[in-house]
Amino acid sequence: MSHREPHPEGERLQKILARVGFGSRRVCEEIIAEGRVTVDGVVAELGRRVDVETQVVAVDGAPVGVRPDLVYYLLNKPAGVITTADDPQGRPTVVDVVPDEPRVFSVGRLDGETEGLLLMTNDGQLAYHLTHPSFGVEKEYLALVEGEPSRALLRTLRDGVDLEDGPTARARATAVEPNLLRITIHEGRNRQVRRMCDAIGHPVVRLVRTRIGPITDPRLAPGEWRELTRDEVRSLEVASASEKPATGSEPP
Ligand code: URA
């Protein structure tokens, strides 16, 4: 690994960590002294300077968003709002709901008719980790379905169903009510939950995403958004660095 010179004009590491919520400057100095912090993969020394634009800081192996310009929003997407930056048909989009500046994009997507939690950010690194299937971050949905799926069919959902783009990985599926399923997947294929329910003969009537990794918020009303807390951002960074699918490929 090549040796990089510290950036003389960069911010000091303990100051950066304190700014992004790891605790007081003193606490952050201790975290660094314990050897838990790396910069570009190399264990960092106390007092080193970091270029937050280009260098990757990680704590306990999980990258930390350290750029001061990064924003993270949690949106409860209503049905009929489209997950795109610009809809040629002029329908309302998720980008219309959150502040214009800085420009953000959605982390993954929800179908037009699907409701529920959607992350929006300008942090490309976190978005990549959260959406890349090999990191396997869990997404939980409530699906109101036609009819009442049998226990055997719920087991089929859990074990994997054959879709045209291949079998689904193991999932969690339980009946909250006879026609209301809680389904947790860690893949992110197009219309996956709808297609899984179609495949067992119980099409979705209404679909709501209720959790993304560790993030949930039952009090956020449809159409509302809020900023993630520092702790929530960190919990996503940790989840996307450590969660892995039960089966499937390793991260690149
Ligand atoms: N599964 C679906 O079918 N639709 C979504 O929007 C998300 C997951």
Side-chain angles (χ1 to χ4, degrees), residues 59-65 72 107 119 123-139 186 212-215 231-245 249-252:
V59 176
D60 297 331
V64 179
Y72 305 88
V107 179
L119 292 170
D123 183 344
Q125 179 176 296
L126 184 66
Y128 171 79
H129 280 94
L130 287 173
T131 49
H132 199 285
S134 60
F135 291 98
V137 174
E138 286 188 346
K139 273 89 55 178
H186 54 71
I212 304 166
I215 306 296
D231 283 350
E232 286 175 325
V233 174
R234 182 64 191 153
S235 68
L236 282 172
E237 288 165 343
V238 170
S240 62
S242 60
E243 287 195 27
K244 300 287 177 295
S249 55
E250 288 297 308

Coordinates of all heavy atoms in Angstrom, one line a residue, residues 59-65 72 107 119 123-139 186 212-215 231-245 249-252:
V59 N -14.2 4.0 11.2 CA -14.1 3.7 12.6 C -14.6 2.3 12.8 O -15.7 1.9 12.3 CB -15.0 4.7 13.4 CG1 -14.9 4.3 14.9 CG2 -14.5 6.1 13.3
D60 N -13.8 1.5 13.4 CA -14.1 0.0 13.6 C -14.5 -0.6 12.3 O -15.4 -1.5 12.2 CB -15.3 -0.1 14.6 CG -14.9 0.4 16.0 OD1 -13.7 0.4 16.3 OD2 -15.8 0.8 16.7
G61 N -13.8 -0.2 11.2 CA -14.0 -0.8 9.9 C -15.1 -0.3 9.1 O -15.3 -0.6 7.9
A62 N -16.0 0.6 9.6 CA -17.1 1.1 8.9 C -16.8 2.5 8.5 O -16.5 3.4 9.3 CB -18.4 1.1 9.7
P63 N -16.9 2.8 7.1 CA -16.6 4.2 6.7 C -17.5 5.2 7.3 O -18.7 4.9 7.6 CB -16.9 4.1 5.2 CG -16.7 2.6 4.8 CD -17.2 1.9 6.1
V64 N -17.0 6.4 7.5 CA -17.8 7.4 8.2 C -17.9 8.6 7.2 O -17.0 9.0 6.6 CB -17.0 8.0 9.4 CG1 -17.8 9.1 10.1 CG2 -16.7 6.9 10.4
G65 N -19.2 9.1 7.0 CA -19.4 10.3 6.2 C -18.8 11.5 6.9 O -19.4 11.9 7.9
Y72 N -28.7 14.0 4.8 CA -29.4 12.7 4.8 C -30.8 12.9 5.3 O -31.1 13.4 6.4 CB -28.7 11.7 5.8 CG -27.3 11.5 5.6 CD1 -26.3 12.4 6.2 CD2 -26.8 10.5 4.8 CE1 -25.0 12.3 6.0 CE2 -25.4 10.3 4.6 CZ -24.5 11.2 5.2 OH -23.2 11.1 5.0
V107 N -31.9 6.8 -2.4 CA -31.1 5.6 -2.2 C -32.0 4.4 -2.6 O -32.9 4.0 -1.9 CB -30.6 5.4 -0.7 CG1 -29.8 4.1 -0.5 CG2 -29.8 6.6 -0.3
L119 N -34.7 6.8 1.7 CA -33.6 7.6 2.1 C -33.2 8.5 0.9 O -33.2 8.0 -0.2 CB -32.4 6.8 2.6 CG -32.5 6.0 3.9 CD1 -31.4 5.1 4.0 CD2 -32.6 7.0 5.0
D123 N -24.7 11.7 -0.4 CA -23.5 10.9 0.0 C -23.5 9.6 -0.9 O -24.1 8.6 -0.6 CB -23.7 10.5 1.5 CG -22.5 9.7 2.0 OD1 -21.7 9.2 1.2 OD2 -22.3 9.6 3.2
G124 N -22.7 9.7 -2.0 CA -22.7 8.6 -2.9 C -22.1 7.3 -2.4 O -22.5 6.2 -2.7
Q125 N -21.1 7.5 -1.4 CA -20.5 6.3 -0.9 C -21.5 5.5 -0.1 O -21.6 4.3 -0.2 CB -19.3 6.7 0.0 CG -18.6 5.6 0.6 CD -17.4 6.0 1.4 OE1 -16.4 6.5 0.8 NE2 -17.4 5.9 2.7
L126 N -22.3 6.2 0.8 CA -23.2 5.5 1.6 C -24.3 4.9 0.7 O -24.8 3.7 0.9 CB -23.8 6.4 2.7 CG -24.8 5.7 3.6 CD1 -24.1 4.6 4.5 CD2 -25.6 6.7 4.5
A127 N -24.8 5.6 -0.2 CA -25.8 5.2 -1.1 C -25.4 3.9 -1.9 O -26.1 2.9 -2.0 CB -26.2 6.2 -2.2
Y128 N -24.1 3.9 -2.3 CA -23.6 2.7 -3.0 C -23.7 1.5 -2.0 O -24.1 0.4 -2.4 CB -22.2 2.9 -3.4 CG -21.5 1.7 -3.9 CD1 -21.7 1.2 -5.2 CD2 -20.6 1.0 -3.1 CE1 -21.1 0.1 -5.7 CE2 -20.0 -0.2 -3.6 CZ -20.3 -0.6 -4.8 OH -19.7 -1.8 -5.3
H129 N -23.2 1.7 -0.8 CA -23.2 0.5 0.1 C -24.6 0.1 0.5 O -24.8 -1.1 0.7 CB -22.4 0.9 1.4 CG -20.9 0.9 1.3 ND1 -20.2 2.0 0.9 CD2 -20.1 -0.1 1.4 CE1 -18.9 1.6 0.8 NE2 -18.8 0.4 1.1
L130 N -25.5 1.0 0.6 CA -26.8 0.6 1.0 C -27.6 -0.1 -0.2 O -28.5 -0.9 0.1 CB -27.6 1.8 1.4 CG -27.2 2.4 2.8 CD1 -28.0 3.7 3.1 CD2 -27.5 1.4 3.9
T131 N -27.3 0.2 -1.4 CA -28.0 -0.4 -2.5 C -27.3 -1.6 -3.1 O -28.0 -2.4 -3.8 CB -28.3 0.7 -3.6 OG1 -27.0 1.3 -3.9 CG2 -29.3 1.7 -3.2
H132 N -26.0 -1.7 -2.9 CA -25.4 -2.8 -3.5 C -25.8 -4.2 -2.9 O -25.8 -4.3 -1.7 CB -23.9 -2.7 -3.4 CG -23.1 -3.5 -4.4 ND1 -23.0 -4.9 -4.2 CD2 -22.5 -3.2 -5.5 CE1 -22.3 -5.4 -5.3 NE2 -22.0 -4.4 -6.1
P133 N -26.4 -5.1 -3.7 CA -26.9 -6.3 -3.1 C -26.0 -7.1 -2.3 O -26.4 -7.8 -1.3 CB -27.4 -7.1 -4.3 CG -26.9 -6.4 -5.5 CD -26.4 -5.1 -5.2
S134 N -24.7 -7.0 -2.6 CA -23.7 -7.8 -1.8 C -23.6 -7.4 -0.4 O -23.1 -8.1 0.5 CB -22.4 -7.9 -2.5 OG -21.8 -6.6 -2.6
F135 N -24.0 -6.1 -0.1 CA -24.0 -5.7 1.3 C -25.2 -6.1 2.1 O -25.2 -6.1 3.3 CB -23.8 -4.2 1.4 CG -22.4 -3.8 1.0 CD1 -22.2 -3.3 -0.3 CD2 -21.3 -3.9 1.8 CE1 -20.9 -3.0 -0.7 CE2 -20.0 -3.6 1.4 CZ -19.8 -3.1 0.1
G136 N -26.3 -6.4 1.4 CA -27.5 -7.1 2.0 C -28.2 -6.3 3.1 O -28.6 -6.9 4.1
V137 N -28.3 -5.0 3.0 CA -29.1 -4.3 4.0 C -30.5 -4.7 3.9 O -31.1 -4.7 2.9 CB -28.9 -2.8 3.8 CG1 -29.7 -2.0 4.8 CG2 -27.4 -2.4 4.0
E138 N -31.1 -5.0 5.1 CA -32.5 -5.4 5.1 C -33.5 -4.3 4.8 O -33.3 -3.2 5.3 CB -32.9 -6.0 6.5 CG -32.2 -7.3 6.8 CD -32.8 -7.8 8.1 OE1 -33.4 -7.1 8.9 OE2 -32.5 -9.0 8.3
K139 N -34.5 -4.7 4.1 CA -35.7 -3.8 3.9 C -36.9 -4.5 4.3 O -37.1 -5.6 3.9 CB -35.8 -3.4 2.4 CG -35.0 -2.2 2.0 CD -33.6 -2.4 1.5 CE -33.5 -3.4 0.4 NZ -32.1 -3.6 0.0
H186 N -33.4 -8.7 1.6 CA -32.1 -8.0 1.6 C -31.6 -7.8 0.2 O -30.4 -7.5 0.0 CB -31.1 -8.6 2.5 CG -30.8 -10.1 2.3 ND1 -30.2 -10.5 1.2 CD2 -31.2 -11.2 3.0 CE1 -30.1 -11.8 1.2 NE2 -30.8 -12.2 2.3
I212 N -35.6 0.4 6.8 CA -34.4 0.2 6.0 C -33.2 0.0 6.9 O -32.8 0.9 7.7 CB -34.1 1.5 5.2 CG1 -35.4 1.9 4.3 CG2 -32.9 1.4 4.3 CD1 -35.3 3.3 3.8
G213 N -32.7 -1.2 6.9 CA -31.6 -1.5 7.9 C -32.1 -1.2 9.3 O -33.2 -1.6 9.7
P214 N -31.4 -0.4 10.0 CA -31.8 0.0 11.4 C -32.8 1.1 11.4 O -33.3 1.5 12.5 CB -30.5 0.4 12.1 CG -29.7 0.9 10.9 CD -30.1 0.1 9.7
I215 N -33.2 1.7 10.3 CA -34.0 3.0 10.3 C -35.5 2.7 10.2 O -35.9 2.0 9.2 CB -33.6 3.9 9.1 CG1 -32.1 4.2 9.2 CG2 -34.4 5.2 9.2 CD1 -31.6 4.9 10.4
D231 N -26.7 9.6 14.9 CA -26.7 8.2 15.3 C -27.3 7.4 14.2 O -26.8 6.2 14.0 CB -27.4 8.0 16.6 CG -26.6 8.5 17.8 OD1 -25.4 8.8 17.7 OD2 -27.2 8.5 18.9
E232 N -28.3 7.8 13.6 CA -29.0 7.1 12.5 C -28.0 6.9 11.3 O -27.9 5.8 10.7 CB -30.3 7.7 12.1 CG -31.4 7.5 13.1 CD -32.7 8.2 12.7 OE1 -32.6 9.4 12.1 OE2 -33.7 7.7 13.0
V233 N -27.3 8.0 11.0 CA -26.4 7.9 9.9 C -25.3 6.9 10.2 O -25.0 6.0 9.4 CB -25.7 9.3 9.6 CG1 -24.7 9.2 8.5 CG2 -26.8 10.3 9.1
R234 N -24.8 7.0 11.4 CA -23.8 6.0 11.8 C -24.3 4.6 11.8 O -23.6 3.7 11.4 CB -23.3 6.4 13.2 CG -22.1 5.5 13.7 CD -20.9 5.7 12.9 NE -19.9 4.7 13.2 CZ -19.0 4.3 12.3 NH1 -19.0 4.8 11.1 NH2 -18.1 3.4 12.6
S235 N -25.5 4.4 12.3 CA -26.1 3.0 12.3 C -26.2 2.5 10.9 O -26.0 1.3 10.6 CB -27.4 3.0 13.0 OG -28.4 3.7 12.3
L236 N -26.5 3.4 9.9 CA -26.5 2.9 8.5 C -25.1 2.6 8.0 O -25.0 1.6 7.2 CB -27.1 4.0 7.6 CG -28.6 4.2 7.7 CD1 -29.1 5.4 6.9 CD2 -29.3 2.9 7.1
E237 N -24.2 3.4 8.4 CA -22.8 3.1 7.9 C -22.3 1.8 8.4 O -21.7 1.0 7.7 CB -21.9 4.3 8.4 CG -22.1 5.6 7.6 CD -21.4 6.8 8.3 OE1 -21.1 6.7 9.5 OE2 -21.3 7.8 7.7
V238 N -22.7 1.5 9.7 CA -22.3 0.3 10.3 C -23.0 -0.9 9.7 O -22.4 -1.9 9.3 CB -22.5 0.3 11.8 CG1 -22.3 -1.1 12.4 CG2 -21.5 1.3 12.5
A239 N -24.3 -0.7 9.5 CA -25.1 -1.8 8.9 C -24.7 -2.1 7.5 O -24.5 -3.3 7.1 CB -26.6 -1.4 8.9
S240 N -24.4 -1.1 6.7 CA -24.0 -1.4 5.3 C -22.6 -1.9 5.2 O -22.2 -2.5 4.2 CB -24.2 -0.2 4.4 OG -23.4 0.9 4.9
A241 N -21.8 -1.7 6.3 CA -20.4 -2.3 6.2 C -20.4 -3.7 6.8 O -19.5 -4.4 6.5 CB -19.5 -1.4 7.1
S242 N -21.4 -4.1 7.5 CA -21.3 -5.4 8.2 C -22.4 -6.4 7.8 O -22.2 -7.6 7.9 CB -21.4 -5.2 9.7 OG -22.6 -4.6 10.1
E243 N -23.6 -5.9 7.4 CA -24.6 -6.8 7.1 C -24.3 -7.6 5.8 O -23.8 -7.0 4.8 CB -26.0 -6.1 6.9 CG -26.5 -5.6 8.2 CD -28.0 -5.2 8.1 OE1 -28.7 -5.8 7.2 OE2 -28.4 -4.4 8.8
K244 N -24.5 -8.9 5.8 CA -24.3 -9.7 4.6 C -25.5 -10.6 4.4 O -26.1 -11.0 5.3 CB -23.0 -10.6 4.9 CG -21.8 -9.8 5.2 CD -21.2 -9.2 3.9 CE -20.0 -8.4 4.2 NZ -20.2 -7.2 5.1
P245 N -25.7 -10.9 3.2 CA -26.8 -11.8 2.9 C -26.5 -13.2 3.4 O -25.3 -13.6 3.5 CB -26.9 -11.8 1.4 CG -25.7 -11.3 0.9 CD -25.1 -10.4 2.0
S249 N -22.9 -13.4 -2.9 CA -21.5 -13.1 -3.1 C -21.0 -12.2 -2.0 O -21.8 -11.5 -1.3 CB -21.3 -12.4 -4.5 OG -22.2 -11.3 -4.5
E250 N -19.7 -12.2 -1.8 CA -19.1 -11.3 -0.9 C -18.9 -9.9 -1.5 O -18.9 -9.8 -2.7 CB -17.7 -11.8 -0.6 CG -17.7 -13.0 0.3 CD -18.3 -12.8 1.7 OE1 -17.9 -11.8 2.3 OE2 -19.3 -13.5 2.0
P251 N -18.8 -8.8 -0.7 CA -18.6 -7.5 -1.3 C -17.3 -7.5 -2.1 O -16.4 -8.2 -1.9 CB -18.4 -6.6 0.0 CG -18.8 -7.4 1.1 CD -18.8 -8.9 0.7
P252 N -17.3 -6.5 -3.1 CA -16.1 -6.5 -4.0 C -14.9 -6.0 -3.2 O -15.1 -5.4 -2.2 CB -16.5 -5.4 -5.0 CG -17.6 -4.7 -4.4 CD -18.3 -5.6 -3.5

